[in-house]
Amino acid sequence: MPAALIKTAPPQARRGQHPGVALTVIAATQLMVVLDATIVNIALPHIATSLKLSTTNLSWVINAYTLTFGGLLLLGGRIGDILGRRRTLMAGVLLFSLASLLGGLATAPWMLLTARALQGMGGAIASPTALSLITTNFQEGPARNRAFGVFSAVAGAGGAIGMLAGGMLTSWLSWRWVLFVNVPIGIAIALLAPLYINDSERRPGRFDFPGAFTATLGMVSLVYGFIRASQDGWSDPWTLGAFGAAVVLLSSFLLIESRTAEPITPLKMFRNRNRSGSYGIMLCLAAAMFSIFFFVTLFVQDVLDYSPLRAGIAYLPLSAAIIIAAQVSARLQAKFGAKPFLVLGSLLVTAGIAWFTQISTDSGYLTGVLGPTLLFGFGMGSIFVPIMLTATSGVAPQESGAASGLLNTTQQVGGSLGLSILVTVFGTATRHEGKQQVAKFLSSHPTPQQLATFKSSGQLPNAYADQVLAHSIATAFEMGLVFALIAVIIAVFVMKPKPPQDAPTGPGLREAPPIAA
């Protein structure tokens, strides 16, 4: 890279300083990326029918996005550091939009899966640069805290909004529109970004391709190993091979990063206990959050018999709780610091998951879903802002992309790994409870017609099938409770941010929640 380009001042917004518009564009980018992780879920049955996908292959509609997105986030953050974050954001958004268009036009399974993988690549480029651009466009202190509050609300509520949007688009138009909807949004973001967002300085450096290669393939192997385990068991040769490959690749990644002069992930970032703790909390709580979307959707559609649209509407209180809590947390950071919100948020999430472990066929929406959903939402909303601040504050400018990329990686990979583990627990519980319910059904003196239907299809009558599903969901949430408790332990015993009154008092720093060295 020519030295002249490195030394040139970063391009400023062509329309001048408009913080509100800049934040809207940045938040819209994150919303589009986060929303896509869930908007497709409700459309899956329609996709299966349209493209004649089997249940096993249908899971790859989600996995193709998750694997590429989680695996390439670190590289995406580094690209923004070296080439400039604004242009990197625009490139990622345009790739995401093109992939969405191709996915919506897909007429064969391979076309859709390829498009979903490309979407993951675009999201991995755009998401970490969007977070880093907040540090470029907002001065550290109250302004940046408020910006993080908006970004946090979007990041936390985007999944729930995706469930609602997916239900609306699938019910009113077609499953293809859950992909087409990204195209006009992405084009608008690409057009507005150079007008209202200040770019970052292009930092000298090289791309750490060996580190990027081993990190990406290592995380892909790890995620695939858990996904495979949930489908084919822990003793499956492909499962064991994936875990073995992950160990080799991730060990090689750590070795490379410890020896290269310009690593994709500077390991010195982990020397800060608060930053490492924030990654740990995000890893655990992302697993819990993904489980909410997956298992509660199963419960409300299969046990409560909600339509896709009504199931999406059921998530609105979760979105509202996350948004409200994130805004309150952002405004009170300067007064109380990060620690109280990390502890309180983790406890609320744990209480919500514990409530979900009591779910049964007798649970209605108000008693079994709304209450724990609100607790969970207020907890996650309280945590997002201090997590983002502790993960990105105090990082050298040339490494902020890597820091934010790592935070996004822990969220995505944590969600994927956690959900795969919970699905494995769910499957085991389903097999055990299924045997018991079959015995109860056969001993209940079924009618000849009921018995013939069961023998031909293997499906239990609804009352027994609902019992199996509800019991298995409750059992899966017991594993989710373990993840949440680990987050509480980290928040209480690992996180040691300085009290607000001990914060640095220089310009723009006085009200920012500091992190201990």
Side-chain angles (χ1 to χ4, degrees), residues 25 32 90 93-98 101 180-194:
V25 175
M32 184 174 67
M90 295 166 61
V93 165
L94 288 175
L95 175 59
F96 189 94
S97 301
L98 175 61
L101 178 63
F180 285 149
V181 70
N182 295 320
V183 178
I185 297 174
I187 292 174
I189 291 171
L191 293 175
L192 292 172

